[in-house]
């Protein structure tokens, strides 16, 4: 008799857990929505370069970003974007050595750098009031760097610098922001930390001349954005 009562308690507990799980799932699915939006954004990024790349590569970049996203839940959403930067120049810097390898003469260099690529972000939202949200974001960014460098001097370093080329790299980023909603329109601002430590240059040809040239030119980056979007 006791065993029968115990099994009944187990069965009732299991049924209650199933019911609660179903109720929670139903509550989650009731929050599912589909609210697409599209917009444009201005982005400013500061990338700290490693030594001695900081003498050659620009640290500040301005981007235009076109993005398309959707909230699939009142608290979650995804977004893709395409961005391009303005070309940024750095010039009239002189090198006496590169990574410990001394140059036989002074080398002066002029460089022009730009980035373009795609982004994919997942965001979690918290509504403070009907028109104002805060959110956190995890994402990936493809960074294709276009680098053109011209160098003059009597050392082997000058032709090596001219052989440096950009390449595609995908890096993670994490950040957060705020958004203000007014009817179909919205304004937002975001702040990101971007793992540009993993951005690489194509240095194969340059290393054949100067072996101390490394493929990873950057340290961390900080990116601030402001944008406007339309909710369809």
């Amino acid at each position: 008799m006791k065993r029968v009562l115990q099994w009944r308690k187990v069965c009732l507990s299991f049924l209650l857990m199933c019911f609660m799980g179903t109720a929670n799932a139903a509550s989650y699915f009731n929050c599912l929505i589909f609210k697409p939006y599209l917009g444009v954004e201005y982005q400013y990024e500061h990338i700290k370069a490693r030594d001695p790349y900081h003498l050659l590569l620009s640290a500040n970049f301005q981007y235009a970003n076109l993005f398309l996203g959707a909230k699939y839940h009142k608290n979650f959403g995804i977004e893709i974007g395409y961005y391009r930067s303005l070309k940024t120049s750095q010039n009239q810097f002189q090198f006496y050595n590169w990574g410990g390898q001394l140059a036989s003469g002074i080398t002066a260099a002029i460089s022009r750098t730009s980035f373009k690529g795609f982004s994919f972000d997942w965001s979690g939202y918290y509504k403070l009031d009907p028109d104002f949200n805060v959110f956190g974001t995890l994402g990936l960014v493809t960074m294709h760097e276009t680098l053109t460098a011209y160098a003059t001097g009597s050392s082997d370093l000058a032709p090596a610098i001219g052989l440096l080329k950009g390449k595609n790299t995908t890096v993670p980023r994490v950040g957060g922001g705020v958004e203000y909603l007014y009817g179909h329109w919205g304004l937002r601002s975001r702040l990101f930390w971007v793992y540009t430590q993993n951005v690489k240059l194509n240095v194969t040809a340059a290393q054949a001349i100067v072996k101390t040239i490394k493929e990873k030119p950057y340290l961390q980056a900080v990116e601030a954005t402001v944008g406007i979007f339309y909710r369809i």
Side-chain angles (χ1 to χ4, degrees):
M1 185 66 178
K2 289 183 178 180
R3 290 184 177 180
V4 173
L5 290 174
Q6 288 177 349
W7 276 108
R8 285 181 178 177
K9 288 181 179 180
V10 172
C11 292
L12 287 172
S13 298
F14 178 75
L15 290 173
L16 181 60
M17 291 174 63
C18 289
F19 174 77
M20 293 178 63
T22 303
N24 290 334
S27 176
Y28 176 84
F29 284 112
N30 286 337
C31 294
L32 291 179
I33 57 176
F34 183 71
K35 292 186 177 180
Y37 60 87
L38 57 90
V40 293
E41 189 173 55
Y42 167 79
Q43 301 177 339
Y44 172 82
E45 188 171 46
H46 177 76
I47 307 177
K48 187 176 181 180
R50 301 175 190 270
D51 183 39
Y53 272 112
H54 72 279
L55 298 173
L56 178 67
L57 300 176
S58 303
N60 303 306
F61 293 90
Q62 300 183 70
Y63 303 89
N65 178 42
L66 177 65
F67 58 89
L68 172 66
K71 286 185 179 179
Y72 61 87
H73 183 276
K74 68 176 184 178
N75 297 120
F76 302 106
I78 57 174
E79 179 179 303
I80 58 173
Y82 173 75
Y83 71 90
R84 293 183 69 99
S85 77
L86 297 175
K87 288 184 179 180
T88 306
S89 299
Q90 185 116 307
N91 54 43
Q92 297 180 354
F93 286 93
Q94 296 181 334
F95 300 87
Y96 297 91
N97 68 80
W98 188 283
Q101 181 167 328
L102 295 177
S104 59
I106 295 174
T107 300
I110 299 174
S111 68
R112 293 182 178 86
T113 312
S114 64
F115 286 95
K116 64 180 179 180
F118 295 91
S119 61
F120 176 81
D121 294 305
W122 176 86
S123 297
Y125 295 86
Y126 180 76
K127 187 179 289 293
L128 295 180
D129 65 45
D131 300 323
F132 191 75
N133 294 328
V134 296
F135 57 91
T137 300
L138 294 173
L140 294 172
V141 184
T142 64
M143 301 185 70
H144 178 73
E145 182 174 7
T146 299
L147 171 63
T148 304
Y150 304 93
T152 58
S154 59
S155 71
D156 293 337
L157 187 56
I161 288 175
L163 294 173
L164 294 171
K165 300 296 179 183
K167 63 190 300 186
N168 281 316
T169 311
T170 299
V171 298
R173 67 179 181 181
V174 59
V178 296
E179 66 177 13
Y180 173 74
L181 306 174
Y182 182 77
H184 287 285
W185 292 95
L187 297 172
R188 76 179 188 189
S189 180
R190 304 186 295 172
L191 182 65
F192 286 104
W193 174 79
V194 189
Y195 191 71
T196 48
Q197 289 97 322
N198 205 38
V199 171
K200 299 176 182 178
L201 295 177
N202 187 338
V203 298
T204 303
Q207 282 183 339
I209 302 174
V210 179
K211 297 184 183 299
T212 54
I213 291 179
K214 305 298 182 182
E215 66 177 357
K216 293 184 177 182
Y218 296 109
L219 296 173
Q220 71 279 359
V222 176
E223 182 179 294
T225 79
V226 59
I228 185 171
F229 59 92
Y230 180 80
R231 298 188 297 170
I232 301 172

